[in-house]
Amino acid sequence: MSQPIDNLFGMHTGALALWQRRTEVLASNLANADTPGYLARDIDFKKALAAAGGSGDGSLPLAAPTPGQIDPVAQARDTLAYRVPTQPSMDGNTVDAQQEQAAFAANGVHYQASLAFITAQIRMLRTAITGGQG
């Protein structure tokens, strides 16, 4: 039984877009670490990925930029939440630079893992198509 082409890479294509969006959010937090009143935000990745994968009942309550496409970045916007500060500063800023840097580094590792999986799948397909030649 063959896999549909849109499911060829599994959850990794949606995850890749979510990791990228999270990178932008974390970078914004770091850039505003000294901005008075800035509230740190983050993506609830599990919630966003679950939404991208559907609810399991066959329904997909997703944004579709064009017919047949899923827009995980739009879903990430819906799952963007304020981070609960461990020690908010006196000026109301809730960015913890060390926590943001650690999350940024971990996010980069997750992004690279999804990218490596997709790359491996493409290599495997290329090998299957060419018969290992070229």
Side-chain angles (χ1 to χ4, degrees):
M1 182 172 181
S2 66
Q3 251 182 335
I5 194 72
D6 61 343
N7 192 25
L8 193 59
F9 303 116
M11 67 175 194
H12 291 281
T13 52
L16 200 59
L18 289 172
W19 293 129
Q20 178 180 350
R21 175 67 178 132
R22 186 167 188 237
T23 298
E24 294 167 3
V25 171
L26 294 172
S28 178
N29 288 347
L30 285 167
N32 287 290
D34 294 325
T35 304
Y38 182 83
L39 303 176
R41 299 193 71 177
D42 201 355
I43 292 175
D44 183 347
F45 189 80
K46 289 180 183 178
K47 183 177 175 183
L49 195 57
S55 59
D57 62 359
S59 65
L60 293 175
L62 306 172
T66 58
Q69 287 187 335
I70 296 172
D71 187 3
V73 175
Q75 293 171 341
R77 269 186 240 113
D78 296 337
T79 58
L80 200 59
Y82 292 102
R83 181 167 292 165
V84 177
T86 53
Q87 286 186 312
S89 64
M90 294 298 288
D91 65 3
N93 186 303
T94 62
V95 176
D96 179 346
Q98 291 179 341
Q99 181 182 3
E100 298 298 327
Q101 289 172 347
F104 193 87
N107 191 68
V109 170
H110 292 298
Y111 183 90
Q112 288 296 326
S114 288
L115 194 59
F117 177 83
I118 291 171
T119 302
Q121 288 292 99
I122 292 171
R123 275 197 203 110
M124 186 173 59
L125 286 171
R126 185 179 299 159
T127 301
I129 291 169
T130 62
Q133 301 173 17

